[in-house]
Amino acid sequence: QVQLVESGGGLVMPGGSLELACEASGGITSPNAMAWYRQAPGNQRDQRELVAVSYTGGVTKYGDSVAGRFTISRDYAKTTVYLQMNQLAPDDTGVYYCNFRPLTLDFESWGQGTQVTVAS
């Protein structure tokens, strides 16, 4: 089982920036995917939206609503994935969850979530 600990959420004004971090520990195997999902206010957990994903090897993908504004990156030595969020808007508000999924095993792990609120 992989443990994930997120950090970096908070309150930011529209147009501002935040960086989230997610540190993984435990039975980390490769290849894998580390991703950020977002649960908007009022939505259920099964309605979480994919924000960005990073695959070992360097491939990254983004949700349509964040492409060009958010950047996902990884520090393999620290087994940490980051999400740099720029030009934040109120619609970016939600709980951001880190996800780890090995590509050759059938399980995934979730972090506890970190709240991001974009408001003036």
Side-chain angles (χ1 to χ4, degrees), residues 1-71:
Q1 187 73 359
V2 174
Q3 292 77 45
L4 303 171
V5 178
E6 301 114 329
S7 60
L11 172 64
V12 64
M13 295 184 65
S17 298
L18 275 178
E19 183 179 65
L20 307 181
C22 170
E23 182 173 3
S25 62
I28 299 169
T29 60
S30 290
N32 59 60
M34 293 190 74
W36 289 96
Y37 286 78
R38 175 169 72 197
Q39 182 177 348
N43 285 359
Q44 302 301 312
R45 284 203 167 192
D46 60 359
Q47 296 173 295
R48 282 181 285 203
E49 168 194 12
L50 175 66
V51 175
V53 58
S54 169
Y55 296 91
T56 49
V59 174
T60 58
K61 295 182 180 180
Y62 296 90
D64 290 342
S65 64
V66 307
R69 299 187 297 124
F70 291 11
T71 302

